[in-house]
Amino acid sequence: MVASAAILGAAAMTSGAFAATPVAASPKPAPASQAMGTLPSAPVEKVIVTYKNRTAEAGSNAAAKSDTAEKAAKTGEKLSFERRLAGGGALVDLGDEATKQDVAEVMDAFRADPAVASVEPDIRAYAMAVTPNDTDYAKQWDLFEATGGMNVPAAWDKTTGSGVTVAVIDTGYAAHSDLASNVIAGYDFISTSADARDGNGRDADAKDEGDWNATDGECGTGSKASTSSWHGTHVAGTIGAVTNNTKGIAGIAYNAKIQPVRVLGKCGGSSSDIADAITWASGGSVPGVPANPNPAKVINLSLGGASSTCPSVYQTAINGAVSRGTTVVVAAGNSNANASGFTPANCSGVITVASTNRAGARSYYSNYGTIVDVAAPGGETRNATDTPGTVTTPENAIYSTLNSGTTVQSTENYKPYQGTSMAAPHIAGLAALLKSAKSTLTPAEIESAIKNTARPLPGTCTGGCGTGIADATKAVDSVLNTTPPSGTVFSNATNVTISDNTTVSSSIAVTGLTGNAPATLKVGVDIKHTWRGDLVIDLVAPDGTVRNLKTSSSSDSADNVLTTYTVDASSELANGTWKLQVRDVASGDTGYIDSWSLTF
């Protein structure tokens, strides 16, 4: 069992020392695509014509098509009736390369028709992922850069963390105006007065009293003197800094609430205190401690210690938290070693997070291994080949809220830190976005969404970094059942023989789509087979879920199955290998799968 835990925000996991320095003056700016000041001017390609009630064109597609042809002849444009809209309007395609003058002429022609109630252009709309106005947002490459970032801004169109409380189990809270309005009451779980530095043991004040060490060896053999880290405040800023307030930074889940829970003081913290904090933060009962009035649905643990197994005190607390619906996120550790040797990273039921750098490779200090679930930006204040303890690349670290005090709190500020401590809150923030977007999600579903939508590291990761770098927008889209572009078709025309009393299948690999399959997935089937009543046809989703398309029938003696089935597949990720499974349940008639298709 581990007696104490250390913060995981520096290259040396047990030292508690942070390589921090003011950020370089000219960090890479946000991409122009995100700095949406004015909307682009797109050409009008179609118009929407609404006919007056009781006219033939209002109720008949044939009449509307005929009227479109008449207007085409009148204007000399290549007009075509495309479809009827849900509201009753007729969508008319203007053909290729229609100029503004052409559009005006066509609209005038429809307006002059007494049967037409209105005509309007089919205009474009754009995602409003406007760059936040926080003054240091350009330094937050970890949120928006394509190579090493986590693709956060587009997720803000759909969710910002409202209604979710995130517990930061850490050093407590150093007052900061860029966090204050998002911070709610927490608790101090440090049971030893000397470690707490507040004159008592556990109490309801989660104020960070500082975790400095005055002399070398004060916290055990090999420990070094250090200043206070204000680690919990840095972690909290990444998750929930106030956003669009014209100052500082933007938080990933900036409308979530941050609940500081203090467990790390002088010389780290004990597993007994940390376990009780996990239980309390998630809404469980802790003897002698008042109930948490605002249980957290996400817990961030940017801390850990060396242990080849997960202590039972941790596992019991984590199991309880997960059973209450709380997602637990843990830093993998900073020892450039297999994370299986560190806890609580090696506990079950948690999301274990490795760190990546600005180039999208594993940070040189980050732990790795098969127990790592996913990676996220943790930054690097120096290159692996630079002298340990130096700060050579502060612009490549994670910039967040902090305090300038060397021992006790002083004035608020911002600084760059590196570590899996900085990677974990990226995932905690994403978990809050997901829970806010869909409140019914379980911890297992949140973990699955994050892992299944992660992208491969553009850089290297020796030893294993889970499923890749988390992608906030793709994860949010997946839980909101955002469907792929309508009309995307995948097919397989390879013949598969269907013999008597056998089961065969044909596969289609779907790639390049985002989010889930639609509720109206079209499954086109062309099967050549005499006495089609012999056949049972199923669609098998990438996760193995089977949906029956056709049952057998001893009375259906017709030949062949040539039809399209509509399937509600909205609970399935679109990408993956789909199968058409065909079972012949009788003798005397055979055939083959000629072709089949999926239209998303």
Side-chain angles (χ1 to χ4, degrees), residues 173-175 196-198 207-213 226-230 262 402-413:
Y173 172 57
R197 288 184 164 136
D198 60 1
K207 177 185 176 184
D208 191 338
E209 301 288 354
D211 58 352
W212 79 93
N213 300 319
S226 64
T227 58
S228 289
S229 67
W230 316 115
R262 188 172 182 237
L402 212 67
N403 192 277
S404 64
T406 56
T407 54
V408 298
Q409 289 187 30
S410 182
T411 57
E412 66 178 48
N413 63 0

Short mmCIF file of all heavy atoms in Angstrom, two decimals, residues 173-175 196-198 207-213 226-230 262 402-413:
data_model
loop_
_atom_site.label_atom_id
_atom_site.label_comp_id
_atom_site.label_asym_id
_atom_site.label_seq_id
_atom_site.Cartn_x
_atom_site.Cartn_y
_atom_site.Cartn_z
N TYR A 173 -7.03 25.28 -3.44
CA TYR A 173 -7.32 26.39 -4.35
C TYR A 173 -6.63 27.67 -3.89
O TYR A 173 -6.79 28.12 -2.76
CB TYR A 173 -8.83 26.61 -4.41
CG TYR A 173 -9.28 27.84 -5.15
CD1 TYR A 173 -8.91 28.06 -6.47
CD2 TYR A 173 -10.09 28.79 -4.53
CE1 TYR A 173 -9.33 29.21 -7.16
CE2 TYR A 173 -10.53 29.92 -5.20
CZ TYR A 173 -10.14 30.13 -6.51
OH TYR A 173 -10.56 31.25 -7.19
N ALA A 174 -5.85 28.25 -4.80
CA ALA A 174 -5.28 29.58 -4.58
C ALA A 174 -6.16 30.58 -5.31
O ALA A 174 -6.35 30.47 -6.53
CB ALA A 174 -3.85 29.63 -5.12
N ALA A 175 -6.70 31.53 -4.60
CA ALA A 175 -7.69 32.45 -5.17
C ALA A 175 -7.19 33.06 -6.48
O ALA A 175 -6.06 33.56 -6.57
CB ALA A 175 -7.99 33.55 -4.16
N ALA A 196 -0.96 19.94 6.78
CA ALA A 196 -1.98 20.87 6.25
C ALA A 196 -1.54 22.32 6.34
O ALA A 196 -1.96 23.16 5.55
CB ALA A 196 -3.29 20.68 7.00
N ARG A 197 -0.72 22.64 7.33
CA ARG A 197 -0.22 24.02 7.54
C ARG A 197 -1.33 25.02 7.82
O ARG A 197 -1.17 26.22 7.58
CB ARG A 197 0.59 24.49 6.33
CG ARG A 197 1.95 23.81 6.21
CD ARG A 197 2.76 24.37 5.06
NE ARG A 197 4.17 23.98 5.18
CZ ARG A 197 4.93 23.53 4.17
NH1 ARG A 197 4.40 23.41 2.96
NH2 ARG A 197 6.18 23.22 4.36
N ASP A 198 -2.46 24.54 8.28
CA ASP A 198 -3.55 25.46 8.59
C ASP A 198 -3.93 25.41 10.07
O ASP A 198 -4.95 25.94 10.48
CB ASP A 198 -4.77 25.17 7.72
CG ASP A 198 -5.31 23.76 7.90
OD1 ASP A 198 -4.75 22.99 8.71
OD2 ASP A 198 -6.28 23.41 7.21
N LYS A 207 -8.62 25.94 0.96
CA LYS A 207 -7.57 26.89 0.58
C LYS A 207 -6.21 26.17 0.52
O LYS A 207 -5.84 25.41 1.40
CB LYS A 207 -7.50 28.03 1.58
CG LYS A 207 -6.37 29.03 1.32
CD LYS A 207 -6.28 30.07 2.42
CE LYS A 207 -5.09 31.00 2.19
NZ LYS A 207 -4.94 31.97 3.32
N ASP A 208 -5.47 26.46 -0.55
CA ASP A 208 -4.12 25.93 -0.70
C ASP A 208 -3.18 26.72 0.20
O ASP A 208 -2.95 27.91 -0.02
CB ASP A 208 -3.69 26.04 -2.17
CG ASP A 208 -2.40 25.27 -2.46
OD1 ASP A 208 -1.63 25.02 -1.53
OD2 ASP A 208 -2.18 24.96 -3.65
N GLU A 209 -2.63 26.06 1.22
CA GLU A 209 -1.73 26.72 2.17
C GLU A 209 -0.27 26.63 1.76
O GLU A 209 0.62 27.09 2.48
CB GLU A 209 -1.91 26.10 3.56
CG GLU A 209 -3.31 26.20 4.13
CD GLU A 209 -3.69 27.60 4.56
OE1 GLU A 209 -2.81 28.50 4.52
OE2 GLU A 209 -4.87 27.82 4.91
N GLY A 210 -0.01 26.02 0.59
CA GLY A 210 1.35 25.89 0.10
C GLY A 210 1.93 24.52 0.38
O GLY A 210 1.66 23.91 1.41
N ASP A 211 2.73 24.03 -0.56
CA ASP A 211 3.35 22.71 -0.40
C ASP A 211 4.87 22.79 -0.51
O ASP A 211 5.51 21.84 -0.95
CB ASP A 211 2.78 21.73 -1.44
CG ASP A 211 2.98 22.19 -2.88
OD1 ASP A 211 3.42 23.34 -3.09
OD2 ASP A 211 2.70 21.41 -3.80
N TRP A 212 5.46 23.92 -0.08
CA TRP A 212 6.90 24.10 -0.19
C TRP A 212 7.65 23.18 0.78
O TRP A 212 7.12 22.76 1.81
CB TRP A 212 7.25 25.56 0.07
CG TRP A 212 7.28 25.95 1.52
CD1 TRP A 212 8.36 25.95 2.35
CD2 TRP A 212 6.19 26.41 2.33
NE1 TRP A 212 8.03 26.37 3.61
CE2 TRP A 212 6.69 26.66 3.62
CE3 TRP A 212 4.82 26.63 2.07
CZ2 TRP A 212 5.89 27.11 4.67
CZ3 TRP A 212 4.03 27.08 3.10
CH2 TRP A 212 4.56 27.32 4.38
N ASN A 213 8.88 22.89 0.43
CA ASN A 213 9.80 22.16 1.31
C ASN A 213 11.01 23.06 1.57
O ASN A 213 11.66 23.49 0.62
CB ASN A 213 10.28 20.86 0.68
CG ASN A 213 9.12 19.93 0.36
OD1 ASN A 213 8.19 19.80 1.14
ND2 ASN A 213 9.19 19.29 -0.81
N SER A 226 11.93 23.00 -2.28
CA SER A 226 11.17 23.55 -3.41
C SER A 226 10.20 24.60 -2.91
O SER A 226 9.87 24.66 -1.72
CB SER A 226 10.40 22.45 -4.13
OG SER A 226 9.43 21.87 -3.27
N THR A 227 9.75 25.42 -3.84
CA THR A 227 8.73 26.42 -3.53
C THR A 227 7.35 25.80 -3.71
O THR A 227 7.20 24.69 -4.22
CB THR A 227 8.88 27.64 -4.44
OG1 THR A 227 8.77 27.22 -5.80
CG2 THR A 227 10.23 28.32 -4.22
N SER A 228 6.33 26.52 -3.30
CA SER A 228 4.96 26.03 -3.46
C SER A 228 4.58 25.96 -4.94
O SER A 228 4.96 26.82 -5.74
CB SER A 228 3.98 26.93 -2.71
OG SER A 228 4.12 26.77 -1.32
N SER A 229 3.84 24.93 -5.29
CA SER A 229 3.50 24.68 -6.70
C SER A 229 2.17 25.28 -7.13
O SER A 229 1.98 25.58 -8.30
CB SER A 229 3.44 23.18 -6.95
OG SER A 229 2.35 22.59 -6.24
N TRP A 230 1.22 25.43 -6.19
CA TRP A 230 -0.14 25.87 -6.50
C TRP A 230 -0.72 24.99 -7.61
O TRP A 230 -1.46 25.43 -8.48
CB TRP A 230 -0.18 27.36 -6.87
CG TRP A 230 0.66 28.19 -5.95
CD1 TRP A 230 1.78 28.90 -6.28
CD2 TRP A 230 0.48 28.38 -4.54
NE1 TRP A 230 2.31 29.51 -5.17
CE2 TRP A 230 1.54 29.22 -4.08
CE3 TRP A 230 -0.46 27.93 -3.61
CZ2 TRP A 230 1.66 29.61 -2.75
CZ3 TRP A 230 -0.32 28.32 -2.29
CH2 TRP A 230 0.72 29.14 -1.87
N ARG A 262 -8.84 19.30 -1.09
CA ARG A 262 -7.42 19.36 -0.72
C ARG A 262 -6.95 18.05 -0.08
O ARG A 262 -7.49 17.61 0.93
CB ARG A 262 -7.19 20.54 0.23
CG ARG A 262 -5.71 20.81 0.52
CD ARG A 262 -5.55 22.11 1.30
NE ARG A 262 -4.13 22.39 1.51
CZ ARG A 262 -3.56 22.55 2.70
NH1 ARG A 262 -4.30 22.50 3.81
NH2 ARG A 262 -2.26 22.78 2.81
N LEU A 402 -2.31 30.39 -11.86
CA LEU A 402 -1.35 30.07 -10.82
C LEU A 402 -1.30 31.21 -9.79
O LEU A 402 -2.13 32.12 -9.82
CB LEU A 402 0.05 29.83 -11.42
CG LEU A 402 0.93 28.81 -10.68
CD1 LEU A 402 0.34 27.42 -10.81
CD2 LEU A 402 2.35 28.82 -11.20
N ASN A 403 -0.31 31.13 -8.89
CA ASN A 403 -0.08 32.16 -7.89
C ASN A 403 1.42 32.43 -7.82
O ASN A 403 2.23 31.53 -8.04
CB ASN A 403 -0.60 31.70 -6.52
CG ASN A 403 -0.64 32.82 -5.50
OD1 ASN A 403 0.35 33.14 -4.87
ND2 ASN A 403 -1.82 33.42 -5.35
N SER A 404 1.80 33.66 -7.51
CA SER A 404 3.22 34.05 -7.53
C SER A 404 3.94 33.77 -6.22
O SER A 404 5.16 33.94 -6.13
CB SER A 404 3.35 35.54 -7.87
OG SER A 404 2.75 36.33 -6.85
N GLY A 405 3.23 33.35 -5.18
CA GLY A 405 3.87 33.14 -3.89
C GLY A 405 4.87 31.99 -3.92
O GLY A 405 4.63 30.95 -4.53
N THR A 406 6.00 32.18 -3.23
CA THR A 406 7.00 31.10 -3.17
C THR A 406 6.71 30.12 -2.05
O THR A 406 7.07 28.94 -2.12
CB THR A 406 8.41 31.68 -2.97
OG1 THR A 406 8.42 32.48 -1.80
CG2 THR A 406 8.82 32.51 -4.17
N THR A 407 6.04 30.58 -1.00
CA THR A 407 5.61 29.69 0.08
C THR A 407 4.10 29.84 0.29
O THR A 407 3.33 28.96 -0.08
CB THR A 407 6.38 29.99 1.38
OG1 THR A 407 6.25 31.39 1.70
CG2 THR A 407 7.86 29.64 1.24
N VAL A 408 3.68 30.98 0.86
CA VAL A 408 2.25 31.22 1.04
C VAL A 408 1.72 32.01 -0.16
O VAL A 408 2.48 32.54 -0.97
CB VAL A 408 1.98 31.99 2.35
CG1 VAL A 408 2.44 31.16 3.54
CG2 VAL A 408 2.69 33.34 2.34
N GLN A 409 0.40 32.10 -0.26
CA GLN A 409 -0.22 32.76 -1.41
C GLN A 409 0.17 34.24 -1.49
O GLN A 409 0.24 34.93 -0.47
CB GLN A 409 -1.74 32.63 -1.36
CG GLN A 409 -2.26 31.23 -1.62
CD GLN A 409 -3.77 31.18 -1.72
OE1 GLN A 409 -4.40 32.16 -2.15
NE2 GLN A 409 -4.36 30.06 -1.34
N SER A 410 0.38 34.70 -2.72
CA SER A 410 0.64 36.11 -2.98
C SER A 410 -0.33 36.55 -4.08
O SER A 410 -1.52 36.28 -4.00
CB SER A 410 2.10 36.31 -3.38
OG SER A 410 2.38 37.68 -3.59
N THR A 411 0.16 37.18 -5.13
CA THR A 411 -0.72 37.65 -6.20
C THR A 411 -0.95 36.55 -7.23
O THR A 411 -0.10 35.69 -7.46
CB THR A 411 -0.11 38.88 -6.89
OG1 THR A 411 1.19 38.54 -7.38
CG2 THR A 411 0.00 40.04 -5.92
N GLU A 412 -2.08 36.62 -7.88
CA GLU A 412 -2.40 35.64 -8.92
C GLU A 412 -1.56 35.89 -10.16
O GLU A 412 -1.15 37.01 -10.44
CB GLU A 412 -3.88 35.71 -9.27
CG GLU A 412 -4.30 37.03 -9.93
CD GLU A 412 -5.76 37.04 -10.32
OE1 GLU A 412 -6.62 36.66 -9.49
OE2 GLU A 412 -6.05 37.44 -11.47
N ASN A 413 -1.31 34.82 -10.92
CA ASN A 413 -0.61 34.95 -12.20
C ASN A 413 -0.92 33.74 -13.06
O ASN A 413 -1.83 32.95 -12.76
CB ASN A 413 0.90 35.14 -12.01
CG ASN A 413 1.57 33.95 -11.35
OD1 ASN A 413 0.93 32.96 -11.02
ND2 ASN A 413 2.88 34.04 -11.16
#
